[in-house]
Amino acid sequence: MYDFEIERAAGEVVRRGAKRVFVQAPDGLKQFLAEFVSRLSQVCEVYVSINPCYGGCDLEDDRAAMIGADMVIHIGHKKFIEGAEKVYTVYLPAPHLADVRGLASLAASELKKRGFLRVGVLANLQHIEYVGEFVREMEAAGLVPVVDRQTGGLVLGCRTDGAKRIESEVDAFLFIGGGEFHPLGVAMDVEKEVFIADTYRNEVRGTAEIMKKTLSRRWWAIMEASKSKRFGVIMVTKPGQFSMRSAEKIAAELRAAGKEAHLLVGDDVSPERLAAFPFIESFIVTGCPRIATDTQQDPNRPVLNEAEAWKMLEIIKPDRK
Amino acid sequence: MYDFEIERAAGEVVRRGAKRVFVQAPDGLKQFLAEFVSRLSQVCEVYVSINPCYGGCDLEDDRAAMIGADMVIHIGHKKFIEGAEKVYTVYLPAPHLADVRGLASLAASELKKRGFLRVGVLANLQHIEYVGEFVREMEAAGLVPVVDRQTGGLVLGCRTDGAKRIESEVDAFLFIGGGEFHPLGVAMDVEKEVFIADTYRNEVRGTAEIMKKTLSRRWWAIMEASKSKRFGVIMVTKPGQFSMRSAEKIAAELRAAGKEAHLLVGDDVSPERLAAFPFIESFIVTGCPRIATDTQQDPNRPVLNEAEAWKMLEIIKPDRK
């Protein structure tokens, strides 16, 4: 179902003479690792992380160093920050092996039916190699597909510049992949409608409905947070997400506005973790912007990301410049 | 409800000239931190960990270092391993402020009624200072209380030597504290019955019922695991729990017995984490022995601790010496 490039990975291990190899993968891909680990175990000792892995920002170098790993194999994501790895890391994108021809032509006809002409084509890492096929089908249907040159259409959960750069040239966007996570990220950052060509369910659907709900939830969170007296400002300690400066800047602004700000530190920002702090009224998460928008939290205590926190600060400090 | 020794903590911060202080506490105590953090914030910048904290073995030195902390305040536990801390650490035991006189006399009369004479007295860190009061009440009731000299009666989730050393001298044990976690740990390690003097509910109860259930669950887990072909051997990366050697020794024995053993690495061994590995039939957790016995896991996939893993290996390799 996914291509883990087993032989290339084993070859890399042998070439580097790696004896201990640390493997990281997102939860959705771990279930497919049995064969990969068995093959790799023929050439090295394999240590698989049981922790979740939310992106190329989520490196477990400390853990890799703890077991004395010579090499990390990071599955499902690409390098996020140049030179961030303390242990040599191979990234395996793990493309989803899907037959998308029917889906591409379905997407083209659906978009055409809705009256769109120029369509921005996007995909996540698992489906980026299908962009060409969708472009061809769209052209064949008389549409004008547009792909950002810098990213080739690739979007991450937190990086949608490949959409924003071409927004003014298109009538709508088409995202190739599955789930709502990536297309929702795009939809929150652009004004145009975003459609999903779902390679798992073989269907094309819009995101207008879910966007409306999400936006109203986010605005509610911002307005509600603005009434709080006691904030928790959380810095996330994942290597690619850690920013003390952001957290301390926001805490300083909150304090200047007469609020109380507690600095909190952690890696897993789940509802269970926040439940342990009943005396905090609102949380602000620096680090991954999607933690705040996508984690189902206590409905009575808003959780904002950094951008939303600054919006809220404009509300509570209208004179802030 | 708990004594965080606010003034002593603030004094320590000032004395050391600490500017950034990292605070760790178990989830059950975090809810009471508001006042403590506010007071400490007058003399330094306070950073509170949102991560769970399961013992003195569970140090977050890497995170403390990441925020440049000069000092860690570790609440609710005591130093676990001499010299384990990379950042200067102050341990605050956080005693539970309870009036236990009535409870102590109730416990004495209950134990007497049941025909016990010599009773081993135990407590967790939050209640260790009440041991003397219980001893006095028991003596007044004509019982013979016995307290281990080395530990003063203190037991941890994984350390019950303070009970084992006096087991032959007593008819039963009395544990002062709350919940089932600590007394169950004792009950699993000794043959005598363990009673709980619950300082939260103000009641005295036995553990025979819950022990019977637990033991039969553990034996089921050991027997069930012995039938598995594919094992996951998990090493826990918390500083005081990490043992690659244990994990690799067990993996080697499993492989010598014709089993497949995957080495897994993580810090949070929750059912959700293990669910991501459907291809593993049984798990063995090195590190804290209570993770296996106390975490409600998938009923179809046993999770064993190290001692249980060796029992299982005796079953599948009867010739193992």
Side-chain angles (χ1 to χ4, degrees):
Chain A
M1 198 176 192
Y2 292 92
D3 181 8
F4 291 134
E5 302 176 82
I6 295 187
E7 290 312 318
R8 175 165 86 84
E12 268 270 26
V13 169
V14 171
R15 196 157 31 252
R16 284 193 70 88
K19 289 200 176 60
R20 293 169 185 273
V21 175
F22 185 77
V23 175
Q24 271 196 278
D27 277 357
L29 295 183
K30 284 196 183 94
Q31 61 187 300
F32 305 112
L33 282 182
E35 198 194 336
F36 181 79
V37 172
S38 292
R39 170 69 184 95
L40 227 54
S41 295
Q42 294 168 9
V43 292
C44 63
E45 190 69 89
V46 182
Y47 300 78
V48 183
S49 171
I50 67 171
N51 292 355
C53 180
Y54 294 112
C57 55
D58 194 352
L59 302 173
E60 291 193 86
D61 281 40
D62 286 331
R63 245 164 235 122
M66 218 167 167
I67 59 151
D70 319 296
M71 189 169 142
V72 173
I73 296 182
H74 190 113
I75 296 175
H77 304 128
K78 56 176 251 171
K79 192 196 284 277
F80 190 68
I81 299 168
E82 209 50 54
E85 310 95 351
K86 285 180 259 173
V87 178
Y88 176 78
T89 301
V90 173
Y91 292 85
L92 299 180
H96 179 209
L97 300 171
D99 180 358
V100 299
R101 247 166 318 170
L103 183 64
S105 92
L106 175 67
S109 73
E110 283 288 326
L111 289 165
K112 199 171 175 180
K113 211 180 350 175
R114 280 178 169 82
F116 298 113
L117 176 62
R118 304 178 65 87
V119 178
V121 186
L122 309 167
N124 64 2
L125 191 59
Q126 271 66 59
H127 302 89
I128 191 69
E129 62 184 69
Y130 298 126
V131 167
E133 213 155 330
F134 276 78
V135 163
R136 277 191 299 280
E137 282 294 336
M138 286 172 151
E139 282 171 343
L143 296 177
V144 183
V146 184
V147 179
D148 170 60
R149 261 193 226 158
Q150 234 166 288
T151 56
L154 179 67
V155 290
L156 310 180
C158 62
R159 287 205 183 156
T160 57
D161 54 301
K164 281 187 278 189
R165 260 193 300 276
I166 58 170
E167 182 176 3
S168 64
E169 305 170 38
V170 305
D171 308 319
F173 286 99
L174 181 72
F175 168 82
I176 310 163
E180 317 288 340
F181 179 74
H182 290 92
L184 189 62
V186 176
M188 284 193 283
D189 286 351
V190 300
E191 310 270 309
K192 304 282 164 70
E193 201 176 344
V194 179
F195 291 84
I196 304 170
D198 191 319
T199 57
Y200 302 85
R201 296 207 227 148
N202 239 335
E203 67 175 26
V204 177
R205 63 180 184 273
T207 60
E209 197 66 19
I210 184 171
M211 256 312 287
K212 221 168 67 185
K213 268 190 213 151
T214 303
L215 276 185
S216 66
R217 246 193 322 116
R218 299 321 300 156
W219 272 110
W220 168 86
I222 292 169
M223 296 311 295
E224 202 61 20
S226 70
K227 301 177 214 156
S228 301
K229 291 228 165 61
R230 196 182 262 161
F231 288 82
V233 183
I234 304 171
M235 45 190 95
V236 181
T237 51
K238 308 207 170 195
Q241 294 184 27
F242 185 64
S243 173
M244 258 182 103
R245 234 184 120 200
S246 300
E248 292 183 340
K249 251 169 80 180
I250 289 171
E253 290 280 350
L254 285 169
R255 288 166 186 170
K259 308 289 194 180
E260 196 175 321
H262 288 240
L263 288 168
L264 305 178
V265 181
D267 51 0
D268 159 35
V269 186
S270 62
E272 199 193 351
R273 299 291 96 231
L274 304 191
F277 295 90
F279 55 88
I280 302 281
E281 292 162 72
S282 289
F283 296 92
I284 292 163
V285 183
T286 64
C288 177
R290 302 301 295 277
I291 296 171
T293 57
D294 292 62
T295 313
Q296 193 68 49
Q297 298 283 2
D298 175 349
N300 297 311
R301 297 197 299 168
V303 181
L304 306 184
N305 65 26
E306 210 176 317
E308 292 168 340
W310 287 111
K311 274 190 198 133
M312 184 206 61
L313 276 160
E314 278 172 29
I315 295 168
I316 61 176
K317 289 180 70 184
D319 54 332
R320 210 180 60 82
K321 201 183 58 151
Chain B
M1 200 177 190
Y2 292 93
D3 179 8
F4 291 135
E5 301 175 82
I6 296 188
E7 290 312 318
R8 176 165 85 84
E12 268 270 27
V13 169
V14 172
R15 196 157 32 252
R16 285 194 70 89
K19 290 201 176 59
R20 294 168 186 275
V21 174
F22 185 77
V23 175
Q24 272 196 277
D27 278 357
L29 296 183
K30 285 196 182 96
Q31 61 186 300
F32 305 111
L33 282 181
E35 199 195 334
F36 181 80
V37 172
S38 292
R39 170 67 184 96
L40 227 54
S41 295
Q42 295 168 8
V43 292
C44 63
E45 189 69 92
V46 181
Y47 301 78
V48 183
S49 171
I50 66 171
N51 292 355
C53 180
Y54 293 113
C57 55
D58 195 353
L59 302 172
E60 291 194 86
D61 281 41
D62 286 331
R63 245 165 236 121
M66 218 166 166
I67 60 151
D70 318 297
M71 189 168 140
V72 173
I73 295 182
H74 190 112
I75 297 176
H77 305 128
K78 56 176 249 169
K79 192 196 282 280
F80 190 69
I81 299 168
E82 210 48 55
E85 311 95 352
K86 285 180 259 172
V87 179
Y88 176 78
T89 301
V90 173
Y91 293 85
L92 300 180
H96 179 210
L97 299 172
D99 180 358
V100 299
R101 248 167 317 168
L103 184 63
S105 91
L106 176 66
S109 73
E110 284 286 328
L111 289 165
K112 200 171 173 181
K113 209 180 354 176
R114 281 180 169 81
F116 297 114
L117 175 63
R118 304 179 64 87
V119 177
V121 185
L122 309 167
N124 64 3
L125 191 60
Q126 270 67 57
H127 302 88
I128 191 71
E129 62 184 69
Y130 299 126
V131 167
E133 214 156 329
F134 276 76
V135 162
R136 275 190 300 279
E137 282 292 338
M138 284 172 156
E139 283 171 341
L143 296 177
V144 182
V146 183
V147 179
D148 170 62
R149 264 194 222 154
Q150 234 167 288
T151 56
L154 179 67
V155 290
L156 310 179
C158 63
R159 288 203 183 157
T160 57
D161 54 303
K164 279 187 278 187
R165 259 193 301 275
I166 57 170
E167 185 177 0
S168 63
E169 305 170 37
V170 304
D171 307 320
F173 287 98
L174 179 72
F175 169 83
I176 311 162
E180 316 289 339
F181 179 74
H182 291 92
L184 191 60
V186 176
M188 284 193 284
D189 286 351
V190 300
E191 309 269 310
K192 303 281 164 67
E193 201 176 341
V194 179
F195 291 84
I196 305 170
D198 191 318
T199 57
Y200 302 85
R201 296 206 226 148
N202 239 333
E203 67 174 25
V204 177
R205 63 182 183 274
T207 60
E209 198 67 21
I210 184 171
M211 255 312 288
K212 221 168 71 186
K213 268 191 212 148
T214 304
L215 277 185
S216 66
R217 246 194 321 115
R218 298 321 301 156
W219 273 110
W220 167 86
I222 292 171
M223 296 311 295
E224 202 61 21
S226 71
K227 301 178 211 153
S228 301
K229 291 230 166 59
R230 196 183 262 160
F231 288 82
V233 183
I234 305 171
M235 46 190 96
V236 181
T237 52
K238 309 209 170 193
Q241 295 184 25
F242 184 63
S243 173
M244 258 183 104
R245 235 185 120 200
S246 299
E248 293 183 340
K249 249 169 80 181
I250 289 170
E253 289 279 350
L254 286 169
R255 287 167 186 169
K259 308 289 192 180
E260 198 174 320
H262 289 240
L263 289 168
L264 306 177
V265 181
D267 50 1
D268 159 33
V269 186
S270 63
E272 198 192 353
R273 298 291 96 230
L274 304 191
F277 295 91
F279 55 88
I280 302 280
E281 292 161 73
S282 289
F283 296 92
I284 292 163
V285 183
T286 65
C288 177
R290 302 299 296 274
I291 297 171
T293 58
D294 292 63
T295 315
Q296 194 68 50
Q297 297 283 1
D298 174 350
N300 297 310
R301 295 196 302 166
V303 181
L304 305 185
N305 65 25
E306 212 177 316
E308 293 168 338
W310 288 111
K311 276 191 198 129
M312 183 206 63
L313 276 160
E314 278 171 28
I315 294 168
I316 61 177
K317 290 179 72 186
D319 54 332
R320 210 182 59 84
K321 199 185 56 142

